[in-house]
Amino acid sequence: FYLSLVTDPDAGHRPLELALAELRRVRDDLNDAEVERARNKIETQLVMSAESPGGRMRAVGSQWLYNGDYRSLDDDMASLEAVTTTRVRELLERYSFDPMTIVSLAKE
């Protein structure tokens, strides 16, 4: 899992505390509506990025660099459609957020 936060330096640790609380909540109380909303958002981003040649080539290039294979937009959409709340819960149980590495970068 990977989470990135960009916050106002004056906010202190509050944004991180909120993010960690949300991760705990998701682990314990994930529901179908949240999974559906996330899936729809990712599908929309995929389709929108695929509408430009540069966006599609970035996606194809990234997939090739990370996994050494080609996946069509249809492949990606089918993978997303296969995501279920039960499967996400299984993954959260198998790959918990503990231990966790937190890296903080700040501009002085």
Side-chain angles (χ1 to χ4, degrees):
F1 296 98
Y2 170 83
L3 173 69
S4 175
L5 299 173
V6 178
T7 66
D8 183 334
D10 295 333
H13 292 287
R14 183 74 177 135
L16 179 59
E17 291 167 1
L18 290 170
L20 294 175
E22 184 65 11
L23 290 175
R24 284 189 295 275
R25 188 201 65 77
V26 165
R27 183 184 59 218
D28 299 333
D29 192 31
L30 183 68
N31 64 57
D32 293 338
E34 291 171 317
V35 172
E36 181 70 21
R37 192 169 44 252
R39 187 175 39 236
N40 288 341
K41 184 175 182 177
I42 295 168
E43 287 175 346
T44 299
Q45 291 171 339
L46 278 173
V47 170
M48 295 298 288
S49 69
E51 288 186 358
S52 73
R56 183 63 190 142
M57 289 300 102
R58 271 189 297 281
V60 169
S62 294
Q63 188 68 24
W64 186 260
L65 283 172
Y66 290 119
N67 299 316
D69 67 348
Y70 168 78
R71 289 180 53 89
S72 69
L73 180 58
D74 289 339
D75 293 337
D76 289 340
M77 297 296 278
S79 292
L80 281 169
E81 284 298 318
V83 173
T84 65
T85 305
T86 300
R87 184 66 181 129
V88 173
R89 282 190 181 130
E90 289 170 357
L91 288 170
L92 289 169
E93 187 175 312
R94 183 172 178 189
Y95 301 104
S96 68
F97 302 122
D98 187 34
M100 182 183 297
T101 300
I102 299 174
V103 177
S104 177
L105 303 174
K107 182 179 178 184
E108 291 187 24

